Amino acid sequence: MSTQESTPRVVLKVSGESLQGQRDSGIDSASLNDIARQIVECRNRGVEIGVVVGGGNLFRGRLASQLGMAEATAHYAGMLATIINGLALQDAIEAAGGEVRTMSALQVRQVSEIFIRRRALRHLEKGRIVLCVGGTGNPYVTTDTAAALRGIELDADQLLMGKHGTDGVYTADPATHPDARRYARLNYREALQQNLGVLMDASALALCEEHSLPIVVFNIETPDAIVSTVIDGPNLEQAGTRVDHGDTLLAG
C-alpha cells in the first residue's frame, strides 16, 4: 500500500511487444506515444505510477541462447534492450508533459539513475513517473519477475500486466480452443497449479502470492486500456482477469 493512504499507487508492466505495435520488431512511434500519453494521464489524475519495461521487441535472450550465445550473456543483452525501450518511453512521456525518472538495475550512469528503493519511492511521492529498466540486473530472471519485485518494493496497490493480443487469462488458448473461457478472477494457487504461462512466469506469480500483491491482466492494445484499468478498475465481466487470494470465477 502506498505510504500516502489517499494516493493510489500501481506498477505497470509494459512489454516490448506492446511498443512494437504492428511491426515485426523495433518500436512503433504511434504505440509508444499512445502508451506514454496514457501513463501521463494516469499520473495527472492522481495515481502514483511505476513502469517496468520489457525488451522482447528488440532482443530475446532465450532465442539468442538457443542460437548459440552463452545464456547469461544473452540475458544481459536482453536487459540492455529494456534500457533502450525505457529511454524511448522516457522521451515520449516528457513530450506528453510528464515528469519522469528512469532507474536501471544495471549501472548505465550516463542515461539513467541506479535503482534505489528509497529514491524511487521519493520520486513517486513527488509526482514523478518512475521507469524501471534493466530487469532485476541478474541473468536467468524475467522482466515479469522484475515487475513483481518492483511492485512489492514500491508498495504498489496492484500490479498491472499489459498484454499484447489477449484480454485476460483463459482456461485454454482461445486461438486453438474455441470453447475456452476467460477467468474474471483467479486464485494465485490455482494459477500456479495450472501453470498458466500467459499470466506470468511461476517465480513472479509466487512472489505476488507471498506478498499478497494483486495482479490485473488486461489487453494493452484496447483503446485507453491503461487509463480505464488504472482509474476505473477493469470491468471483469467484459475483459481482464484479477489474480489474488479470492475465489476463482469464470466470466459470464
Side-chain angles (χ1 to χ4, degrees), residues 14 19 27-41 44 53 84-102 129 131:
V14 174
L19 298 176
I27 299 173
D28 174 71
S29 61
S31 297
L32 174 73
N33 292 332
D34 185 60
I35 289 172
R37 173 192 62 78
Q38 292 187 67
I39 291 171
V40 172
E41 182 174 344
N44 289 344
V53 186
I84 294 171
N85 282 338
L87 293 176
L89 189 54
Q90 170 190 277
D91 191 69
I93 287 172
E94 289 178 339
E99 188 176 2
V100 59
R101 295 292 185 271
T102 300
I129 295 157
L131 297 184

Side-chain angles (χ1 to χ4, degrees), residues 47-211:
V47 178
E48 295 176 354
I49 184 165
V51 182
V52 174
V53 186
N57 56 320
L58 301 177
F59 189 90
R60 288 194 170 277
R62 183 177 299 174
L63 177 59
S65 66
Q66 291 172 353
L67 296 176
M69 182 182 286
E71 188 172 0
T73 303
H75 288 180
Y76 279 115
M79 292 180 222
L80 295 176
T82 72
I83 296 173
I84 294 171
N85 282 338
L87 293 176
L89 189 54
Q90 170 190 277
D91 191 69
I93 287 172
E94 289 178 339
E99 188 176 2
V100 59
R101 295 292 185 271
T102 300
M103 307 189 79
S104 175
L106 295 175
Q107 290 197 36
V108 192
R109 289 180 291 180
Q110 289 85 347
V111 296
S112 66
E113 301 178 27
I114 193 70
F115 181 86
I116 299 172
R117 175 180 178 270
R118 289 174 64 89
R119 183 177 293 173
L121 289 170
R122 186 62 173 152
H123 285 321
L124 291 172
E125 290 164 1
K126 284 181 171 290
R128 297 163 184 153
I129 295 157
V130 175
L131 297 184
C132 301
V133 300
T136 66
N138 301 290
Y140 311 108
V141 179
T142 68
T143 52
D144 282 353
T145 299
L149 181 62
R150 297 298 182 237
I152 295 163
E153 288 182 296
L154 297 178
D155 301 322
D157 301 307
Q158 56 185 344
L159 172 60
L160 308 179
M161 300 292 292
K163 293 294 184 178
H164 181 73
T166 182
D167 63 349
V169 181
Y170 283 75
T171 55
D173 184 352
T176 56
H177 295 77
D179 58 343
R181 296 181 63 190
R182 179 177 55 81
Y183 292 105
R185 189 170 184 176
L186 186 58
N187 182 276
Y188 298 112
R189 183 53 41 184
E190 188 164 345
L192 283 164
Q193 290 172 349
Q194 294 191 39
N195 193 28
L196 296 171
V198 68
L199 170 57
M200 57 170 49
D201 66 73
S203 57
L205 184 56
L207 262 179
C208 292
E209 179 188 26
E210 181 179 355
H211 295 272

